[in-house]
Amino acid sequence: MKNTVRAISLLVFAFALAAEPARAANRVSIDAVHAIRTLRPMSAFGHTVDKEPAGSIPSLYSAHNVAQMLDAGWGWLSYRLFTELTVEDWHWNPNGRFSTPKGGYWTSDASISNKLIADSFGYRLPHSGFTSDQGGNEGYSRLTDGDPATYWKSNPYLSSAFTGDPERLHPQWVVIDAGSTQTIGAIKVSFANPFARSYRVEYWTGSDPMNDPGNGTWKPFANGSITASTISAASAARAITAPKAVRFIRVLLLDSSGTCDSHGKSDPRNCVGFAISEISLGRFDAAHRLRDILIHRTCGGERPVPQPCGTRQSATFVSSVDPWHDATTRVRNQEQPGLDLIARSGLTRKLGAFYPVPMLYSTPENAAAEVRYLRARGYAIAGIELGEEPDGQYTTPEDDGALYVQWARAIHRIAPSIRLGGPVFSGVNDDLQTWPDAAGDISWLHRFIRYLYAHNAIDQLSFMSFEHYPFDGCEHGTQLTRDLLQEPGIMARVVNAWRQDGLPPSVPLYITEANFSAVNFTETPMLVDGALWQADYMASALSDGVEAAVYYQDEPVPLSANASCPGDWGNLTMFVADTHGTIRARGAQFWAARMLTHEWFAPGNAAAQLYRATTDAQLMNLPAITAYPLKAKDGTWSLMLINKDPKARTVSIEFDMGNGRAGTYNGTVRQTTFGPVQYRWVNKGADSIPSPDGPPARTQLHASAQTRYVLPGRSITVLRGSIHA
């Protein structure tokens, strides 16, 4: 009975569409003269794979699931690297070696004589100074852990011995969050080797240096500039005075002692950079004892409340982390899918994938070995991304540039023609900001590009890649509508910002990870709204100069509740699946994929030309309808219309043919629609499922210049047919 009622609904809708010519209409105008570019769907649309819970990879990548993933129609593949977000080194091949028998700097084995790699692992870094991270928040900082035997150490590859730059071009730093605005009068920086012969203690003038770095500056405390010739002198408690109460304090490390850390002098990487075992902050009492306001615990996390491991330590952030580790630090609850498993699964379509190499927390040798391995296996490589999300790790543009140059040159020594790119921003809606430099420049990308130019390395940047997660994830109602209306403008603004930052016109832009929100458990991707956003984001990106855009993520992961809006159940996935990866239904973004790859484009990989269109439909002072025209080689036009208004809109369509001539659809037009009639998300907690669950509805119209087209509220419509002038 349910299917019969649904069929009747579709027929009523199709009849209403065909019988609408007398209704007042919004206008859609297509510039049919000036093509923006030529596209092929397999090159324009990508998809992604990422880390997953330990033991889940075989079921997630079963032959049945892979077939379902491929049925969405996406082309190239983007492999995502979770270990860069969680301050871990990636053993992309579990076989390999440390620089010493007891641990050290890891290089995975590039030999193809061993068995194929099915999964791979991250290793935590024992010299981390981060209280929280962008991933699982399962680590903690050694700067406020209360253990004088542990220490944070900066990345040796940022020392002058490796960068070739003056040491002070890459000052390393620690930022301490006092938790609230307080009067600070004293600090004790307990150094390990190598210690700082000179450093400066500073306070932030703005509200939040980590999340709003462009609004404020670092100012030195009175008595905050310190020089010392011995580690004991450098580590002495110091009186410092701020002109007002402060919350964020930075220790800026300027000159290294060059003394070797606890791992000895056999490796020069042990003897460069800076190391600190503990930091205390507060005021001196009457007996000149420092009353420490910081909490010292082996418990990290991102919220200032008790964690499962206990009371959260005072938060610290650091410029970089030494990738030294040993075999005991392997992460046991997460895995990265093996390079061989992915490359041989069919998901790459043999088109060439974008593979990452670990950079922020690894070595150039490990990265080069990965590229050597991929090439030895004969896997097609579209590009190599160097690291991932440096902005999420608070890496400065100059430091990221220094690592990028070293890694790029190491890879190009073994593969001179391979395409390399980055920086892989974590997702911003405007130009990415960083702390102002001496000239007041707060543009992260501008300074990164400037560093590459200064080091004759701009030719090492073959493409610029970034992620796109524009919204918060708990939006409903009017706010969700506003988000959908804003998306094309956000994309245009971001792309324009990258070019204004000095990105050369010859360097293409790739979006290598994207969804509605970075909150994994948002419900929006499961709603029709998630499908609208997906189609609009991708089509607007391609219209605004992005070479190719990607969907995140392929894997059929289970639904989860969003902690920020517990009534919402969802995930970043095209499917509704159980905890074993068994697909129960196809989600809204699966159908968005089909609308893009099988309706807007014809199935397959035929080329089509993209044009611009404008509409006069407005809602909240923003375009209510966006329109994206494609012209196929045979002359037929497919027009994708996305109506973000909850109410239906009627449109007239006109093609500007130039020389005062106007064209319209003429004859048989195939119309395909995906909206609330075809799909509805039924929230039942963990048992949520769509009903109905697609597919898009197709009908045929006989079009003429007088035809008006009804776009249902919250819908994607594709019209395909020939035009007549």
Side-chain angles (χ1 to χ4, degrees):
M1 178 62 72
K2 180 182 75 172
N3 290 337
T4 301
V5 171
R6 181 177 168 208
I8 293 171
S9 298
L10 295 179
L11 287 172
V12 170
F13 169 73
F15 178 78
L17 177 69
E20 188 57 296
R23 187 174 177 180
N26 290 118
R27 187 175 177 220
V28 177
S29 179
I30 295 110
D31 177 354
V33 178
H34 306 99
I36 302 172
R37 57 190 297 196
T38 299
L39 296 169
R40 292 183 183 273
M42 294 292 104
S43 303
F45 300 128
H47 55 138
T48 65
V49 296
D50 203 344
K51 58 79 189 172
E52 294 302 339
S56 67
I57 286 174
S59 60
L60 288 176
Y61 293 100
S62 68
H64 176 266
N65 282 358
V66 168
Q68 295 295 306
M69 298 173 198
L70 290 171
D71 195 37
W74 303 126
W76 56 279
L77 184 80
S78 171
Y79 187 117
R80 313 316 299 151
L81 187 55
F82 190 65
T83 59
E84 293 283 271
L85 284 61
T86 51
V87 195
E88 300 164 11
D89 193 6
W90 182 32
H91 292 207
W92 55 265
N93 187 344
N95 297 308
R97 59 179 176 80
F98 287 103
S99 54
T100 75
K102 295 184 178 180
Y105 300 94
W106 172 263
T107 304
S108 283
D109 188 359
S111 170
I112 60 173
S113 60
N114 297 316
K115 66 178 183 180
L116 299 174
I117 305 170
D119 51 15
S120 57
F121 312 100
Y123 282 70
R124 293 195 177 95
L125 305 181
H127 299 313
S128 174
F130 285 108
T131 295
S132 61
D133 59 55
Q134 304 301 303
N137 275 313
E138 296 175 343
Y140 62 92
S141 170
R142 273 52 174 188
L143 291 161
T144 52
D145 67 349
D147 185 351
T150 65
Y151 57 90
W152 160 74
K153 184 169 177 285
S154 64
N155 191 331
Y157 291 98
L158 293 172
S159 68
S160 59
F162 291 92
T163 65
D165 296 329
E167 199 77 39
R168 291 198 176 197
L169 186 60
H170 301 282
Q172 298 300 284
W173 47 263
V174 173
V175 170
I176 307 114
D177 181 357
S180 62
T181 301
Q182 305 194 42
T183 301
I184 304 299
I187 190 170
K188 179 178 173 60
V189 183
S190 299
F191 282 97
N193 285 308
F195 67 93
R197 294 191 184 276
S198 65
Y199 62 97
R200 190 163 64 237
V201 186
E202 304 167 324
Y203 62 91
W204 182 250
T205 63
S207 61
D208 188 337
M210 312 317 294
N211 297 307
D212 188 17
N215 290 299
T217 57
W218 291 107
K219 296 288 188 182
F221 282 89
N223 307 316
S225 294
I226 297 150
T227 59
S229 59
T230 66
I231 190 171
S232 58
S235 302
R238 307 276 177 170
I240 53 175
T241 305
K244 59 181 180 179
V246 297
R247 175 174 175 176
F248 293 94
I249 296 91
R250 182 172 75 166
V251 180
L252 188 68
L253 306 164
L254 300 170
D255 296 300
S256 173
S257 65
T259 48
C260 300
D261 65 21
S262 60
H263 307 302
K265 62 182 180 181
S266 61
D267 192 320
R269 291 170 287 191
N270 299 336
C271 310
V272 293
F274 304 91
I276 299 174
S277 62
E278 208 77 13
I279 292 181
S280 299
L281 193 69
R283 304 181 72 179
F284 286 127
D285 62 14
H288 202 69
R289 291 172 299 196
L290 195 159
R291 295 297 184 182
D292 192 2
I293 64 170
L294 301 183
I295 299 170
H296 299 259
R297 296 282 190 275
T298 56
C299 179
E302 62 182 357
R303 294 183 176 89
V305 295
Q307 302 290 299
C309 55
T311 303
R312 177 183 182 265
Q313 65 182 179
S314 291
T316 62
F317 309 84
V318 293
S319 51
S320 65
V321 176
D322 188 349
W324 192 101
H325 61 286
D326 60 32
T328 67
T329 67
R330 179 182 144 185
V331 175
R332 298 286 174 175
N333 61 354
Q334 297 282 353
E335 297 173 355
Q336 292 276 152
L339 294 173
D340 292 307
L341 181 150
I342 295 302
R344 292 167 179 254
S345 66
L347 290 172
T348 67
R349 298 186 186 270
K350 298 183 179 180
L351 296 171
F354 282 77
Y355 292 100
V357 295
M359 185 179 79
L360 296 178
Y361 309 113
S362 192
T363 69
E365 292 78 16
N366 193 30
E370 181 191 341
V371 174
R372 185 181 292 114
Y373 182 88
L374 292 169
R375 285 163 57 87
R377 288 287 190 199
Y379 300 144
I381 302 172
I384 298 290
E385 288 186 294
L386 275 56
E388 187 169 335
E389 301 189 18
D391 53 322
Q393 317 310 310
Y394 309 107
T395 308
T396 66
E398 291 77 18
D399 284 1
D400 199 66
L403 297 176
Y404 187 97
V405 170
Q406 293 175 67
W407 265 243
R409 288 175 174 161
I411 292 169
H412 276 156
R413 278 194 289 271
I414 64 165
S417 62
I418 205 160
R419 299 173 73 219
L420 306 178
V424 205
F425 294 145
S426 58
V428 291
N429 292 350
D430 293 283
D431 193 19
L432 179 65
Q433 296 184 352
T434 187
W435 298 329
D437 63 9
D441 188 353
I442 61 173
S443 171
W444 200 104
L445 184 61
H446 179 253
R447 284 166 51 181
F448 175 80
I449 292 169
R450 188 175 66 191
Y451 184 93
L452 296 187
Y453 272 116
H455 291 75
N456 297 314
I458 193 64
D459 61 331
Q460 305 279 4
L461 188 70
S462 297
F463 61 89
M464 187 245 177
S465 59
F466 63 101
E467 300 175 4
H468 184 58
Y469 289 104
F471 303 116
D472 291 335
C474 285
E475 293 91 332
H476 293 278
T478 300
Q479 183 55 53
L480 180 53
T481 299
R482 183 173 292 278
D483 289 346
L484 297 177
L485 295 170
Q486 290 184 101
E487 171 57 39
I490 292 172
M491 181 56 61
R493 185 166 67 247
V494 168
V495 170
N496 185 56
W498 304 151
R499 293 300 181 191
Q500 287 189 339
D501 284 337
L503 186 70
S506 60
V507 177
L509 294 160
Y510 285 86
I511 301 175
T512 51
E513 184 177 328
N515 210 310
F516 181 82
S517 171
V519 178
N520 280 25
F521 308 133
T522 175
E523 184 179 60
T524 305
M526 314 309 297
L527 308 176
V528 164
D529 309 81
L532 268 59
W533 175 84
Q534 182 72 31
D536 212 17
Y537 134 66
M538 285 187 149
S540 65
L542 297 173
S543 300
D544 288 327
V546 173
E547 185 73 13
V550 78
Y551 170 79
Y552 182 93
Q553 65 178 349
D554 269 354
E555 299 93 310
V557 292
L559 304 176
S560 296
N562 188 333
S564 300
C565 38
D568 289 3
W569 283 76
N571 219 317
L572 307 183
T573 175
M574 297 185 288
F575 305 102
V576 180
D578 63 19
T579 55
H580 302 291
T582 302
I583 295 173
R584 299 170 54 219
R586 293 172 163 181
Q589 291 187 330
F590 175 89
W591 296 115
R594 295 283 296 190
M595 290 294 287
L596 288 164
T597 64
H598 285 68
E599 303 298 338
W600 190 41
F601 280 91
N605 198 31
Q609 289 183 304
L610 178 64
Y611 290 76
R612 292 200 186 279
T614 57
T615 74
D616 61 5
Q618 292 283 303
L619 183 65
M620 301 182 191
N621 296 316
L622 292 164
I625 297 168
T626 43
Y628 303 99
L630 281 177
K631 183 181 181 182
K633 188 176 181 179
D634 64 3
T636 59
W637 288 80
S638 59
L639 177 64
M640 181 167 66
L641 299 144
I642 303 171
N643 180 18
K644 285 151 291 191
D645 192 333
K647 298 180 180 179
R649 294 271 187 153
T650 306
V651 297
S652 65
I653 298 170
E654 183 177 280
F655 292 80
D656 181 355
M657 311 298 292
N659 297 320
R661 295 181 304 127
T664 60
Y665 276 117
N666 187 64
T668 300
V669 172
R670 189 181 76 196
Q671 179 261 331
T672 308
T673 296
F674 179 75
V677 172
Q678 292 75 40
Y679 179 97
R680 185 172 68 91
W681 183 247
V682 181
N683 189 326
K684 296 181 179 180
D687 296 320
S688 298
I689 199 162
S691 179
D693 59 352
R698 281 187 177 181
T699 189
Q700 286 192 345
L701 308 173
H702 184 78
S704 68
Q706 288 73 44
T707 303
R708 302 294 181 262
Y709 304 85
V710 175
L711 310 180
R714 287 282 209 273
S715 68
I716 307 169
T717 297
V718 175
L719 303 172
R720 179 181 293 275
S722 299
I723 65 173
H724 177 74

